[in-house]
Amino acid sequence: MAETKTTVTAATAKASSHQPKKSSNLFATLAVPICLVIGFVIFYFVLGNPANFEGNNPDGHPIAEGAGHWFATVYKGGFVVPILISVLLICLTFVIERFLYLSKAKGKFSGSELVRKVQYHLANKNVDAALAECDKQKGSVGNVLKAGLKKYKEMITNTELDTDQKILTIKNEIEETTALELPMMEKNLVFLSTIASVATLLGLFGTVLGMIKAFSAMSNAGAPDSSQLALGISEALINTALGIGTSAIAIIMYNYFTTNIDSITYAIDESGFTLTQSFAANHK
């Protein structure tokens, strides 16, 4: 009966640990097509609003001044523009999602501070107080430490294993919990790393197409009109501006998030070392 109960509990815990991953996958699956739809809606109904053009004709020139002038100019950038707008929206969506998740993963206070508090309680052989600190922290370091402390508490009363085996058991518990935490922190960063390189290429692709179109129109019209040529080039360069801007945001935020993850990972490693050293010192 006890064995069945343990199996059910383990299965429940495992299912619970996979729930955030499923939610994250669903978020990524929905976010990309939604951003694509929004990007095209913005392009055709906001930037392409007839009020932004002379004579209310989207095929005509942008109005002389105001926000509508800039909206119409961006609209004239061509069919790559809505793709770039969608990529920008995808980038911002995952930036916000990762920022919220990692803010939660950091916990209520820093991992280093938690490790110091746990060290103090373990030195006083008060495992329950150390567990309470993990509950207060509510972050990834707290989750890993809590799992390790539970195993730590279990090993104190274990009479079947020697000290080295107990330490190895605690290490394994910490490594298993860490293996569940780290992938969730790195989740969806692949979108930012991909956008960082692809956005610039998309921008250049749109610019090249725009330049080809502009010079082709000039050659067909006979003598080039410098103002019309300048307008065509400026419309083509809209793609470059969008691509570079999106890529810059993706690169900056990717580096910011990876730095935060490295900091949390270091605190997790420190917490694991603290537990094993404490057990070795207090239970020789």
Side-chain angles (χ1 to χ4, degrees):
M1 183 69 179
E3 185 179 350
T4 304
K5 184 177 180 181
T6 303
T7 304
V8 172
T9 304
T12 304
K14 187 175 182 181
S16 178
S17 69
H18 283 283
Q19 189 60 38
K21 186 174 181 179
K22 290 180 180 178
S23 299
S24 183
N25 287 336
L26 179 62
F27 175 83
T29 302
L30 293 176
V32 173
I34 288 174
C35 287
L36 284 170
V37 170
I38 293 174
F40 278 85
V41 168
I42 291 174
F43 179 75
Y44 286 108
F45 296 101
V46 178
L47 304 181
N49 189 331
N52 298 330
F53 300 87
E54 293 178 356
N56 291 327
N57 180 12
D59 293 328
H61 295 297
I63 56 177
E65 58 184 16
H69 169 78
W70 296 107
F71 288 167
T73 302
V74 174
Y75 178 81
K76 289 290 186 179
F79 73 90
V80 179
V81 171
I83 300 174
L84 285 168
I85 293 173
S86 300
V87 171
L88 175 59
L89 291 174
I90 292 170
C91 177
L92 294 176
T93 298
F94 285 108
V95 163
I96 294 170
E97 185 269 338
R98 283 295 88 190
F99 182 81
L100 294 175
Y101 185 88
L102 290 178
S103 296
K104 183 179 178 181
K106 287 181 181 179
K108 299 292 183 181
F109 48 90
S110 71
S112 298
E113 183 180 348
L114 174 62
V115 171
R116 288 194 298 270
K117 290 180 178 180
V118 169
Q119 281 178 326
Y120 171 78
H121 291 303
L122 291 180
N124 293 309
K125 298 184 178 180
N126 192 344
V127 181
D128 290 332
L131 283 166
E133 293 293 346
C134 294
D135 289 332
K136 291 178 185 177
Q137 204 262 349
K138 295 182 179 179
S140 291
V141 180
N143 292 339
V144 173
L145 257 177
K146 185 176 181 179
L149 283 167
K150 286 181 177 179
K151 188 61 66 175
Y152 182 108
K153 189 175 181 179
E154 181 184 325
M155 290 299 103
I156 292 174
T157 57
N158 188 297
T159 57
E160 298 177 359
L161 304 175
D162 60 33
T163 301
D164 289 339
Q165 289 174 322
K166 291 177 180 179
I167 291 173
L168 182 59
T169 301
I170 295 171
K171 279 184 179 179
N172 289 338
E173 184 67 22
I174 292 170
E175 288 173 0
E176 288 176 9
T177 310
T178 302
L180 291 174
E181 290 289 333
L182 288 182
M184 291 307 300
M185 286 191 285
E186 296 172 351
K187 189 77 174 177
N188 295 333
L189 286 183
V190 65
F191 286 95
L192 295 184
S193 63
T194 302
I195 289 171
S197 56
V198 170
T200 303
L201 295 177
L202 276 173
L204 290 174
F205 176 68
T207 299
V208 169
L209 291 181
M211 296 287 280
I212 292 171
K213 181 180 177 182
F215 282 104
S216 177
M218 289 299 109
S219 65
N220 292 334
D225 184 331
S226 59
S227 63
Q228 289 298 318
L229 181 61
L231 178 61
I233 293 173
S234 69
E235 291 171 352
L237 290 176
I238 290 294
N239 293 279
T240 302
L242 279 172
I244 292 175
T246 302
S247 181
I249 293 172
I251 292 170
I252 292 169
M253 296 312 299
Y254 179 84
N255 290 334
Y256 171 78
F257 291 141
T258 52
T259 300
N260 277 271
I261 291 170
D262 288 343
S263 176
I264 295 172
T265 303
Y266 175 80
I268 288 174
D269 292 340
E270 186 183 7
S271 69
F273 179 77
T274 296
L275 282 186
T276 53
Q277 290 297 104
S278 174
F279 192 92
N282 296 331
H283 303 88
K284 293 180 181 179

